[in-house]
Structures are given as C-alpha cells and as structure tokens.
Amino acid sequence: MRSWSVPDVPSLAEQGFGKGPRATVFDSSSQSLQASDPAVQARLYVCGITPYDATHMGHAATYLAFDLLQRVWRDRGLDVLYTQNVTDVDDPLLERANATGIDWVELAERETQLFRDDMTALQVIPPDHYIGAVEAIDLVVDLVQRLEEAGAVYKVDDDLYFDVHSDPTFGSVSGFDAEKMAEVFPERGGDPDRPGKRHPLDCLVWQAERPGEPAWDTQLGRGRPGWHIECSSMAMHYLGNSIDVQGGGSDLIFPHHEMSASEAQVATGERFAKAYVHAGMVGFEGEKMSKSKGNLVLFSKLRAAGRDPMAIRLSLLAHHYRSDWEWFDTDISGGEKRLAAWREAVGRTAGPSGEKLVNDLREALADDLDAPRALEVMDNWATDDSTEDESAPETAAIAVNALLGVKL
Ligand code: ZN
C-alpha cells in the first residue's frame, strides 16, 4: 500500500562533515549493546499498527526510535531498506468494526490514513515497503507451505499451527523462561488451552474461515493469516532471510517477535535478525497507554489543538527509547520551550563551534540512540553565547534536522 511522504533529510556529509560514527543498539536477545554497522545496506523491519484506532504517544515514541536509527545509519553513509506492515485484518480490527457498525475495510483505511498523516507531521522517514496483511496473503501462504514441508506446521480442525519446538532456538529472542511464556502468551493473543495443539505455545499461522469474517481462497483453504507469520513472510520477501534489526514496542518481544523469528528461521535455517530492538512502554495516569485500557493520549488530538508537531517530537525525544515512562500533559510545554529556545538560537548571527555540535550530536545518537543526551548537547549549544563560528547557526539547524528530525 501507499507509504507516506519522505521528509527532507539533509546530508551532513554534503556539508563537509564526513560520515557519522557506527551505531550501537541494545539487542534484547543477547541483552547487550551491539554494533550495528552493515557493510552497505541496512535492513530494518518494524512492526506496524493494527489500524482500528489513532496513533497514541506510545506508538509515536516507538516509530521515532526507529526513525532515529535510520537517521544514524544514513548519516553513516548506509543505504537503508525498511519494511513495515499494517495488520489490516485481525481480530481486534474486526471486533471494533462490528462494535461500531463500520465496514472493517473502511475502518482500516481510515485509521491507516490517519497514521500516515501523523507520521508525516512528525517527520518520520517512511518505510520503502508499507504492506498490508491483506496484500501479503500469497506471501503468507508460501511461507506456511515451506513450514509444512519442514514438518513444522500441523492442523487443528481446519486451522494451521506452527510447532514452536521445530525451532531449536525458540525462546532466544525474548529470553523468557517457560513460566513467563505461559503467563504472557494468553495475555497477548495466544490460545494455550485449545484442544488438539501439540504444545500450548504453538501459534496460529492460518485461520480457516469463521462465519461472518473475511476470508480468502488459497491453497491452504479459505481463511486468513495469523499475526506473527504476517511479519515473518513480509520481512523475508522484502528484506531477505536475515535482517539487521527487527524492531517494535517491548510488548511485542513475546510472543510476536519470538514466533516470527522462529517461523523464518525454520524456513531458512538462518538467524532472522542480527538485533532485536525494543522501545519502552509509555504510560498515562499510572498505567500503560493502550487501546484496551482506553487511556490514550492521541497525537492527532494534540495536533488538532494547535500543538507544533516538532514540539511533540521533542517531548517524546526527551525520553530514552528503551525506558518505560509516563506521559504528563506538561510534557508538551517542555517540548515547546525547547523548540522556541532552539529556533531563537539558530537565528543568531554566530554561535559556538558547529563542528563540535555535529560531533557531539552524532556521538550521543550512535550510542544506543541516546536522544536525551543529544537534546542536552543542543540545549548547551543554544545557551552558550560564544560567537566563535559564524556558520554554526546554519550548521545547527541542518544537524538537528538531519539527526533528530526536528525542523527549526
Ligand atoms: Zn510484527
């Protein structure tokens, strides 16, 4: 499906600042910082939305984290190939459509468009391939058939399940023990108690048609894809067998990322992602911000209330992507103050060294995308009244746009 418009990302190399440093990111599977420095092309897959409600601050923070990673990679001189899915047919979407009396296709299209508008306003670099599950049914069927050939898929009634034990490394993405897996699986869409399953954690890869629900005619019978295999099949098709980073919110680590990695690995025999990178959860009024709890702070509402998207972006970047944090309504005023101070500072006729600023911003972001530190670097530059460098204000505006995605 159509992606969204590409923001202007200036090149610091073209400004004479050379290439940025290599990035390190925190890999959940090894619980360690890892260098992410592909030779030429960096391949990124980030799990997309289920389009039944608008973008909240938790979503926005997640996509911003991977936007920073793309900016660091690009600044390093790498070509980035990025795929993101839209889970445009799934239980929560169909339930919402039923409950509100809106056609599920219409609901998905409307909310996907709102997400595109939000991402555009936030200056998030779009994926090269933005793919709906509905568009990827052939890819899913193909992967399920490969897994069937490998003996990793079995039938329960007319549904098809993936046997998690066919992957000897199952469990290595999340590092969860059996008890933790058993606790989390049913909370995040799993069906451990279904009779006929070989193992409670086995996951659905193909769901046969249910009365009143959409279904497609395929070689697997009439039905629709399971959630995890949607992502593994798209990543493999658009990015290749082994990718650099699989990203998403930390609530996707299990079962979603564990399952999609296992499915891909059983099919290819290769490790699915070099690093599994997870963004923290954003809370509001003492609880995780989520659709099911109904405590959402919506990006589109802040925009409609006249808040500058760049101030919203700064409010989000003030928190490290890996930390869990709570949104307070006062966060936005922090972002607005900072934006005003930075805009004023780049309007000066001279400032402290632009080269040092570029180096310090690059260093902060290359170190596990440390945006709060980068913001502090720019704050210090903006409040320093030295006039040693006449080109510094222009350099600062370019660097902040290139690396932090904030247009001053
Ligand atoms: Zn996914």
Side-chain angles (χ1 to χ4, degrees):
M1 59 171 62
R2 195 168 49 78
S3 194
W4 57 90
S5 25
V6 185
D8 172 38
V9 184
S11 158
L12 287 166
E14 280 173 18
Q15 301 291 322
F17 293 103
K19 284 182 187 174
R22 69 174 189 175
T24 56
V25 287
F26 189 84
D27 167 42
S28 302
S29 67
S30 62
Q31 287 289 298
S32 65
L33 283 173
Q34 284 198 358
S36 184
D37 196 23
V40 183
Q41 190 178 56
R43 287 159 310 150
L44 171 68
Y45 186 93
V46 180
C47 292
I49 56 163
T50 300
Y52 67 95
D53 218 338
T55 319
H56 60 69
M57 301 317 264
H59 286 139
T62 295
Y63 297 109
L64 271 192
F66 297 99
D67 183 67
L68 289 182
L69 178 59
Q70 286 193 78
R71 288 169 187 274
V72 171
W73 273 338
R74 283 174 177 230
D75 186 46
R76 177 77 174 150
L78 296 168
D79 170 32
V80 180
L81 189 61
Y82 174 23
T83 299
Q84 186 182 135
N85 67 311
V86 183
T87 305
D88 56 359
V89 59
D90 201 10
D91 294 342
L93 170 72
L94 299 174
E95 281 160 20
R96 178 64 63 92
N98 270 338
T100 53
I102 303 170
D103 177 67
W104 67 275
V105 175
E106 209 176 294
L107 176 64
E109 279 174 3
R110 187 185 77 191
E111 296 303 326
T112 304
Q113 186 53 43
L114 187 54
F115 179 73
R116 289 189 190 103
D117 294 343
D118 289 345
M119 292 296 108
T120 304
L122 262 180
Q123 288 227 103
V124 170
I125 301 170
D128 302 284
H129 303 288
Y130 191 46
I131 312 292
V134 169
E135 294 173 300
I137 286 175
D138 289 347
L139 302 180
V140 171
V141 169
D142 184 54
L143 180 55
V144 172
Q145 287 177 325
R146 284 175 72 178
L147 292 172
E148 271 179 331
E149 281 163 28
V153 160
Y154 62 93
K155 258 189 166 182
V156 178
D157 304 322
D158 285 328
D159 297 335
L160 296 174
Y161 277 83
F162 171 67
D163 181 340
V164 295
H165 289 101
S166 55
D167 175 18
T169 65
F170 178 74
S172 61
V173 171
S174 63
F176 286 7
D177 60 20
E179 197 183 336
K180 179 88 174 161
M181 286 183 189
E183 179 197 324
V184 171
F185 188 59
E187 292 169 2
R188 297 180 185 162
D191 54 355
D193 302 323
R194 181 165 181 185
K197 285 175 68 172
R198 286 182 195 163
H199 189 277
L201 295 177
D202 290 348
C203 68
L204 190 70
V205 288
W206 187 257
Q207 179 170 295
E209 183 174 17
R210 303 285 195 267
E213 291 191 359
W216 287 262
D217 277 314
T218 72
Q219 289 169 309
L220 303 173
R222 251 183 96 70
R224 61 180 165 98
W227 175 32
H228 315 307
I229 200 151
E230 168 190 334
C231 288
S232 33
S233 62
M234 280 188 209
M236 287 165 63
H237 181 77
Y238 290 101
L239 301 174
N241 288 352
S242 185
I243 65 177
D244 292 288
V245 167
Q246 157 76 301
S250 60
D251 54 346
L252 295 185
I253 191 167
F254 189 89
H256 186 55
H257 286 171
E258 190 80 64
M259 298 296 181
S260 43
S262 277
E263 289 159 354
Q265 282 161 184
V266 169
T268 67
E270 293 175 48
R271 181 182 161 106
F272 176 56
K274 292 195 180 102
Y276 295 87
V277 179
H278 293 102
M281 293 289 108
V282 179
F284 184 58
E285 294 172 340
E287 284 195 283
K288 178 189 141 185
M289 203 180 281
S290 72
K291 288 172 189 174
S292 51
K293 294 204 174 84
N295 60 341
L296 304 180
V297 177
L298 299 179
F299 178 72
S300 49
K301 286 211 171 139
L302 291 175
R303 272 173 65 209
R307 304 300 197 174
D308 187 323
M310 293 299 98
I312 305 173
R313 187 165 170 124
L314 280 173
S315 316
L316 294 165
L317 292 177
H319 303 271
H320 193 277
Y321 82 93
R322 269 204 287 139
S323 58
D324 294 329
W325 55 278
E326 184 162 346
W327 174 269
F328 290 100
D329 290 331
T330 49
D331 279 30
I332 188 71
S333 49
E336 285 171 338
K337 268 185 210 149
R338 180 170 262 142
L339 184 65
W342 289 9
R343 282 186 171 154
E344 197 186 324
V346 299
R348 297 181 289 185
T349 51
S353 164
E355 192 176 354
K356 183 177 184 323
L357 174 69
V358 168
N359 290 340
D360 291 351
L361 288 173
R362 279 175 159 171
E363 205 178 292
L365 291 173
D367 179 11
D368 196 24
L369 312 173
D370 193 344
R373 195 169 113 209
L375 264 49
E376 207 183 302
V377 163
M378 182 58 189
D379 286 343
N380 291 339
W381 181 88
T383 49
D384 184 336
D385 55 12
S386 149
T387 53
E388 66 181 88
D389 184 350
E390 283 182 5
S391 59
E394 192 191 348
T395 300
I398 293 170
V400 164
N401 191 11
L403 298 172
L404 290 168
V406 177
K407 211 164 191 172
L408 296 178

